[in-house]
Amino acid sequence: MTFDPLSAIAPDRRVHAMSHTQPEPGSGFRTQNIDAGNVTRLVAALDIQEANPGVRRLRAWAHEALAAGSGERALDVGAGTGSTTRELAAAVGSNGSAVGVEPNPGLRAIAEERAASAGNPARFTDGDALSLPVPDASVDVVWCERVLQHLTEPDKAVSEIARVLRPGGRVALLDTDWATTILHPGDPEITAAFTSGALTGAVNPYSGRRLVGQLSAAGLVVDDRGSQALLQDHRSVAWPLIRMLGESAVRRRGALTEAQRDRAYADLSEAAERGALHMSVTMFAVVAHRPE
């Protein structure tokens, strides 16, 4: 959703590992849907996301909890345009290293260009979250943001992260839980038909609530947890996304009639005019470490 600006293009941020399902319409960040013609659009969406206050607050919290330090080796699984990889590179300094794993060659090229322009030593490589191109126990800190929700085998990706972490190494997982989507005001049954459409765009839409259990199952120790509601502007309707959800509810899922859809559109428009619109989804973050 436009509280997460990527959702106008795809259900969420990006996808960084092969999935064994068929390509899904609109999921342009999924690896099997990589299209060179979409790179400009994906970059624009990622850049908008960088300015989202909720995303920025949760990232800041996670960076502080992860505490990447001088001389450490950092890995960003699903680097996108490389903003987090660059931040990790700055944290570990010239004595450390920061590598971003990104399977989309167009995004990877942008990440490399931006790092070079900023004089930042971050490096980028092709790779898959289900088979990271990194030796066992070779990384001090791992960052993985909004990747697992797109994977058919998210537990395997978390196991891969555990594999590459050295004893004492730390990981930050950040992901959205699409079942927390709220849309208000409107008839509860109608708005529920809209928000349930948010669950159809990710193969693992409940990812946010699963992070703690996945890390524990991989043998890692959870150190801290955080969350942040990503809020849509209360004064305007995110029409590209709302219409996408509305059409899905009417034509793909048969959950609403056209009249019910149009009633929802009118309710949301009126609320926005009053500055009373609420539209949000919650993103969660968990920081853990591999025992010594």
Side-chain angles (χ1 to χ4, degrees):
M1 301 183 177
T2 53
F3 39 75
D4 181 345
L6 294 182
S7 301
I9 295 174
D12 209 337
R13 182 176 180 232
R14 57 207 177 191
V15 83
H16 306 281
M18 293 301 295
S19 169
H20 301 296
T21 59
Q22 293 299 312
E24 297 178 8
S27 54
F29 288 100
R30 299 191 65 185
T31 302
Q32 71 263 44
N33 292 348
I34 288 174
D35 180 352
N38 282 341
V39 171
T40 299
R41 189 170 57 158
L42 301 185
V43 170
L46 289 168
D47 286 346
I48 292 171
Q49 175 202 351
E50 296 294 324
N52 183 286
V55 171
R56 292 170 69 90
R57 284 191 290 266
L58 191 61
R59 285 182 178 176
W61 175 89
H63 276 294
E64 182 177 359
L66 189 64
S70 177
E72 291 193 309
R73 295 156 293 179
L75 186 71
D76 180 13
V77 180
T81 58
S83 59
T84 294
T85 320
R86 295 194 302 273
E87 189 163 351
L88 290 170
V92 301
S94 59
N95 294 327
S97 65
V99 176
V101 176
E102 174 52 58
N104 187 314
L107 292 179
R108 196 165 61 247
I110 294 295
E112 291 168 346
E113 290 172 7
R114 291 184 175 184
S117 296
N120 184 289
R123 295 183 293 113
F124 301 90
T125 186
D126 189 13
D128 190 319
L130 301 182
S131 182
L132 294 171
V134 177
D136 293 356
S138 63
V139 177
D140 297 295
V141 293
V142 175
W143 183 282
C144 182
E145 182 182 337
R146 279 180 288 187
V147 173
L148 300 179
Q149 67 177 276
H150 296 285
L151 304 184
T152 58
E153 299 178 279
D155 295 351
K156 183 176 179 180
V158 177
S159 294
E160 268 293 278
I161 290 172
R163 176 186 67 80
V164 304
L165 277 177
R166 67 162 178 79
R170 293 96 64 208
V171 56
L173 296 185
L174 294 78
D175 223 317
T176 308
D177 192 309
W178 287 100
T180 64
T181 303
I182 298 172
L183 183 60
H184 175 81
D187 180 285
E189 293 185 2
I190 294 177
T191 56
F194 271 74
T195 57
S196 65
L199 295 173
T200 66
V203 293
N204 180 25
Y206 303 99
S207 183
R209 70 188 64 184
R210 299 185 63 210
L211 300 177
V212 169
Q214 288 172 320
L215 288 165
S216 297
L220 303 180
V221 177
V222 172
D223 298 312
D224 208 349
R225 298 172 296 165
S227 65
Q228 182 67 51
L230 309 185
L231 298 167
Q232 162 66 28
D233 187 344
H234 60 287
R235 299 160 298 184
S236 63
V237 180
W239 283 117
L241 174 64
I242 289 297
R243 290 195 174 103
M244 181 181 72
L245 293 176
E247 291 308 304
S248 173
V250 172
R251 307 195 186 285
R252 288 184 57 193
R253 294 180 287 120
L256 293 177
T257 65
E258 292 187 356
Q260 288 174 314
R261 176 203 62 195
D262 292 344
R263 175 182 167 188
Y265 289 169
D267 288 344
L268 295 172
S269 296
E270 189 274 336
E273 290 175 1
R274 294 186 287 111
L277 180 69
H278 179 95
M279 195 174 179
S280 67
V281 70
T282 301
M283 189 163 75
F284 295 89
V286 183
V287 173
H289 72 274
R290 179 177 171 179
E292 296 280 358

